[in-house]
Amino acid sequence: MRQEQANAAPRGGEVIPAQSVGESYLALLKQRGIDYFYVGAGTDTVSIVEAYARADQSGIDFPTPVLCTHENLAVGMAHGYYMISQKPQVVMLHVSVGAANAVCGIMNASRSQVPMLFTAGRTPLFQDGKRGSRNGEIHWAQEMLDQGGMVRELVKWDYELRDGCNMEQVVDRALGISMAEPRGPVYLMLPREILAQEVDGFRPSRPVAIPAPPHPDAQAVRELARRIAAASHPVIVTTASGADPDTVDLLVKLAERFGVGVAEAKARHTNFPSSHPLHLGHDAEAVFAKADALLFLETDVPWIPGKTRPRDEAFVAHAGTDPLFNRYAVRSFRSDLTLTSNARALVEALHAALEEQGAADTAAARRAALEASADAARQAARNIMQRVLAKDGPITKLFLTHCLDEVRPQDAILVNEYSAIRPQMRFDEPGTYFGNPSAAGLGWGLPAALGAQQAAPDKAVICVVGDGAYIFANPAACHHAAAAHKLPVLTVVFNNARWEAVYRSTLTVYPGTHAARYAEEHETKTGPLSSLDPVPDFEKYAEASGGWAERVTRREDLVPALRRALEVVTKEKRHALLNVIGA
């Protein structure tokens, strides 16, 4: 949510006829711009259930409830909705056990700087004597001495609501901290007795303003501009600046005006148009070979020290809302200049500073050299794909990627958890590509795609996942949600019956040893601990919830199957799945 949008929220008004803190809480969320309430219901949500049951009588406007039958689904959908809407989301799960199931999703949200009011009920405080006190055996066993400790390392703030009298102040503080940059999830525990407290109406007050985003130090920006203007091959490398779609066009204007190349490092968004003549591709080694000035913008891992690094004589700067990524225990990369700023503010300030430096006057020479490098990067990518297409055989990830890029609508949203090869795809429109979070908590892709579809109902949403990531997503719960909430996502599963990352990682550490020989000696496609055989018939997960599904085993059948599936999701508005058997 932009600052001007946040400040335009309602500023108080008439008394809302709430009868409980639970009703007041839901009404406040709606007043604060929360449209959906992602919930995994439990014994702690009784006041929430009662509030929704009474809504026709009370006339109170609440967020639309989105029932989720697994906690990872709830958090992932909230994550996906934010990716598209840029509005913070609210999740409520069932006490300690529900929160525990969601920790992986919270880690993904934390590393991706996704604002989220993550809440869970708390085991009732009292054994008896109050409405909402304990009335089931589980209320003893589920209590934890420090429930918030499960997520404290991953959230920006955690608290327990102690009384209904300050519910509004606590919720506003939670939302404010979550939206303050660097954004991220916060955690609030909601005891059942507190939600059940009776109130005689509720009048929301003025919302608290969200802090303005950080802007870079002017002197540091001038130094950065001086270095870029003096360079012959300056490059901006970005991983996640496109999380704010407005930065894409700003970055294009800066690159064109001043002759600056843009490369992507493990891109998780559309950061810069793929087809732009100044897009230098995704190969860090090729970029570093020529770059004499580098700005890493919202890039958590700018290079892998054991593989490549910038030249010693190159100028290296880092920038972002949290440029040191302070939650990463070990992270040490060379930096000659480090700036704290959100991406949009930095690009705008750098544009002005480069103008002052007269960098536009010398841009032509830089642009010619950079465009030659960009052409070489595109040709290298084409050569790889041409070799793939020139031979027959089973479906590979590269072949799947080629087919996806051929058939997908250019404004479609693609959510990729591993199996699509990003450097071989063309994404020119902001907000059309989302890659798995840096934490890589498996099971993110399909829930996030469902949330993205909810935020963009008029667009095709394609989710590309590996077989392992699909299983981790709790597919029965995801397809149930697709049917229940009318979210026609197309899921493409690349099914090679193994965790390829596990096997490949083993071979990099132990090349030419036992793991390398294991597959041949045992007549299998992979090594120990990475086979998923026997793989389920994934089609049946989708079909069980009324979806369309098809298995694809031959190369020549893949494009027609993708077209049929896209027809189903865009015309019939049904969720669909392709089980692509690959190598």
Side-chain angles (χ1 to χ4, degrees):
M1 184 186 298
R2 299 176 186 167
Q3 182 68 18
E4 60 268 23
Q5 291 174 320
N7 289 340
R11 300 188 176 280
E14 298 180 358
V15 174
I16 294 171
Q19 295 183 353
S20 70
V21 171
E23 286 190 332
S24 301
Y25 171 66
L26 291 172
L28 178 65
L29 293 180
K30 186 65 176 179
Q31 287 277 314
R32 297 305 188 243
I34 304 300
D35 294 323
Y36 290 99
F37 184 68
Y38 297 94
V39 59
T43 58
D44 48 342
T45 54
V46 293
S47 297
I48 302 299
V49 172
E50 179 69 8
Y52 280 111
R54 202 180 78 88
D56 287 344
Q57 177 185 338
S58 69
I60 305 175
D61 196 10
F62 297 145
T64 300
V66 180
L67 182 63
C68 300
T69 53
H70 194 278
E71 291 83 1
N72 191 61
L73 170 64
V75 173
M77 286 187 70
H79 187 144
Y81 193 95
Y82 169 77
M83 293 188 319
I84 305 300
S85 70
Q86 300 290 290
K87 295 174 64 176
Q89 300 302 301
V90 175
V91 175
M92 184 172 183
L93 301 176
H94 175 47
V95 299
S96 55
V97 291
N101 258 354
V103 170
C104 179
I106 291 299
M107 187 169 189
N108 283 332
S110 176
R111 296 298 190 246
S112 300
Q113 298 186 9
V114 170
M116 183 186 303
L117 174 50
F118 173 55
T119 73
R122 186 202 184 281
T123 300
L125 300 164
F126 304 105
Q127 294 199 156
D128 54 29
K130 286 183 175 290
R131 171 174 281 181
S133 58
R134 300 181 183 190
N135 60 356
E137 290 82 358
I138 60 171
H139 292 152
W140 280 264
Q142 287 181 338
E143 186 170 28
M144 296 180 69
L145 296 177
D146 185 12
Q147 184 173 315
M150 288 189 293
V151 295
R152 187 162 297 130
E153 184 178 342
L154 303 173
V155 298
K156 297 177 65 179
W157 171 93
D158 72 286
Y159 193 63
E160 177 178 313
L161 186 62
R162 309 292 172 79
D163 193 277
C165 67
N166 70 337
M167 179 274 297
E168 183 179 12
Q169 293 94 322
V170 169
V171 169
D172 278 347
R173 179 159 177 76
L175 290 172
I177 291 175
S178 184
M179 284 294 287
E181 297 194 38
R183 295 172 177 176
V186 295
Y187 183 48
L188 177 63
M189 287 180 289
L190 300 169
R192 190 163 78 160
E193 295 95 329
I194 305 302
L195 291 178
Q197 282 180 349
E198 295 182 0
V199 300
D200 185 15
F202 168 66
R203 184 194 296 272
S205 58
R206 295 164 64 94
V208 178
I210 304 299
H215 281 60
D217 176 76
Q219 183 175 345
V221 173
R222 285 194 294 270
E223 174 64 10
L224 177 60
R226 186 182 71 81
R227 294 284 196 155
I228 289 175
S232 60
H233 213 85
V235 180
I236 296 173
V237 181
T238 178
T239 295
S241 61
D244 176 359
D246 290 343
T247 63
V248 177
D249 186 53
L250 294 173
L251 201 53
V252 167
K253 290 177 180 177
L254 184 145
E256 292 176 346
R257 173 73 173 157
F258 304 109
V260 179
V262 179
E264 296 187 274
K266 198 74 173 181
R268 293 193 286 274
H269 302 270
T270 304
N271 300 303
F272 195 77
S274 301
S275 61
H276 194 282
L278 288 169
H279 192 295
L280 299 178
H282 305 256
D283 183 347
E285 188 172 357
V287 169
F288 294 164
K290 294 184 178 180
D292 53 356
L294 287 154
L295 167 62
F296 293 97
L297 180 60
E298 290 294 359
T299 302
D300 58 339
V301 183
W303 62 85
I304 305 292
K307 295 181 178 179
T308 188
R309 65 185 66 222
R311 294 182 297 162
D312 290 343
E313 61 271 24
F315 170 77
V316 175
H318 297 256
T321 55
D322 177 20
L324 296 181
F325 292 86
N326 67 84
R327 292 295 186 96
Y328 290 21
V330 176
R331 182 187 180 277
S332 182
F333 296 99
R334 176 165 73 90
S335 181
D336 302 309
L337 181 69
T338 303
L339 301 90
T340 300
S341 172
N342 79 348
R344 190 190 332 179
L346 177 63
V347 175
E348 289 174 337
L350 182 58
H351 194 290
L354 285 167
E355 202 72 70
E356 290 178 4
Q357 286 282 339
D361 299 334
T362 56
R366 285 192 298 272
R367 192 159 50 237
L370 289 161
E371 287 179 359
S373 294
D375 285 341
R378 278 190 289 273
Q379 187 58 53
R382 283 194 294 268
N383 292 342
I384 291 172
M385 188 56 72
Q386 285 169 0
R387 289 194 292 271
V388 170
L389 299 177
K391 59 184 180 181
D392 294 325
I395 298 171
T396 63
K397 289 181 180 178
L398 279 167
F399 185 80
L400 170 63
T401 300
H402 168 77
C403 295
L404 282 166
D405 214 34
E406 180 180 330
V407 304
R408 67 182 174 85
Q410 288 304 296
D411 66 344
I413 295 167
L414 190 134
V415 178
N416 178 31
E417 192 168 13
Y418 292 114
S419 294
I421 309 302
R422 176 65 180 85
Q424 292 290 342
M425 301 192 80
R426 185 181 73 259
F427 290 94
D428 289 336
E429 293 193 23
T432 55
Y433 176 81
F434 300 93
N436 55 279
S438 56
L442 281 178
W444 164 84
L446 185 46
L450 292 167
Q453 184 74 84
Q454 199 162 45
D458 297 328
K459 288 193 174 185
V461 177
I462 305 170
C463 176
V464 186
V465 292
D467 41 14
Y470 179 69
I471 292 171
F472 266 71
N474 299 284
C478 289
H479 290 294
H480 171 266
H485 305 302
K486 297 179 174 55
L487 303 171
V489 168
L490 167 56
T491 305
V492 180
V493 183
F494 182 78
N495 181 357
N496 60 1
R498 64 185 182 272
W499 273 320
E500 192 171 354
V502 174
Y503 187 44
R504 288 187 179 277
S505 181
T506 304
L507 296 183
T508 61
V509 178
Y510 293 98
T513 56
H514 297 282
R517 297 192 298 270
Y518 184 92
E520 181 178 351
E521 292 171 354
H522 292 78
E523 297 183 352
T524 181
K525 295 185 293 184
T526 188
L529 309 184
S530 45
S531 174
L532 296 179
D533 276 332
V535 178
D537 294 333
F538 293 143
E539 305 95 295
K540 294 181 180 178
Y541 282 115
E543 291 169 348
S545 290
W548 178 93
E550 184 175 341
R551 176 183 292 245
V552 184
T553 60
R554 302 186 306 170
R555 285 189 172 203
E556 58 266 32
D557 296 333
L558 184 51
V559 165
L562 284 166
R563 294 193 193 282
R564 286 192 293 272
L566 282 168
E567 185 83 5
V568 169
V569 299
T570 57
K571 301 293 175 58
E572 297 181 26
K573 298 296 182 181
R574 273 202 299 161
H575 63 285
L577 178 139
L578 285 181
N579 183 10
V580 180
I581 309 303

